[in-house]
Structure formats: structure tokens, C-alpha cells
Amino acid sequence: EAEEIIALVKETFAANGLALDALAALASLDSKKAHQGLVGAAEHFGVPLRLFTKREIEKERAKLATPSDAVDEAIGVAGVCEAAALKAGSLTVPKRNSRAATCAIGKAASPIDINKFGKPA
């Protein structure tokens, strides 16, 4: 649900002393293009939902702070949220979980060109 994702993003930013207005995008796998929770959360925050292929996500495997064998077995990549966050630049906040969502925060060295960050949802 969008509400769960929104709450997790807000909690993660607050717990790490980060301003929500610094949020540039939500990102995930391209298979989540029509995921109503992600789409709704992106709309709530007024940011785009950007998507990456499994191949693009897998390129970040060695940099994951908390890779998951279970996720790797289920979908073929060791982690999605940290890998997507790493696409922005560096991993600022490792993966945090709620009941059915995960959140990690990446930081770009300079403002990202949202048109070059993944693909649009």
C-alpha cells in the first residue's frame, strides 16, 4: 500500500536527520512499473518513479550493505532498494524494512538529471 511506503520513507528520512524536500525520486525494478503502492507514494511526494532492469540492479551487488539470499533466490538479485539507491551515487542509509516494504537512501554528488536516472514508470 502507498500509505506503508509513505510512512517508511518519512520515518527513514526523519530517523537519519534528512529533509524530505531532498527526495528526488523513488526507484525500483522495472517489473514494479504499475505497482500501485509505489506509484501512489511517488505521487504523494511529487517525485517520479524511476525504474531499473535486473541487469542494472545486479551491477551494484558488490556494494550492497545488506544483500539478501532470500531476495536473490526469489527474484534473481541480491537486493533492490539499496542497489537502486546506489544508482544515485552513494548509499547514505542502508535498507530499512516495514511489514511489506523496504527503503534505502542514496545520495548523488550533485543534483541528478532525473531524465538519466533509470527509466520512467
Side-chain angles (χ1 to χ4, degrees), residues 97-117:
N97 300 312
S98 64
R99 184 185 58 77
T102 59
C103 175
I105 300 173
K107 182 178 180 182
S110 58
I112 61 172
D113 180 345
I114 204 65
N115 295 313
K116 295 180 181 177
F117 181 70

Side-chain angles (χ1 to χ4, degrees), residues 54-96:
K54 283 186 183 180
R55 180 176 290 162
E56 291 169 317
I57 289 294
E58 186 60 17
K59 289 179 182 178
E60 305 300 332
R61 179 185 283 265
K63 300 177 197 170
L64 299 178
T66 58
S68 169
D69 291 337
V71 172
D72 198 8
E73 188 174 310
I75 64 172
V77 294
V80 176
C81 68
E82 286 183 352
L86 281 160
K87 290 297 187 185
S90 61
L91 184 64
T92 302
V93 179
K95 175 175 68 178
R96 291 176 49 124

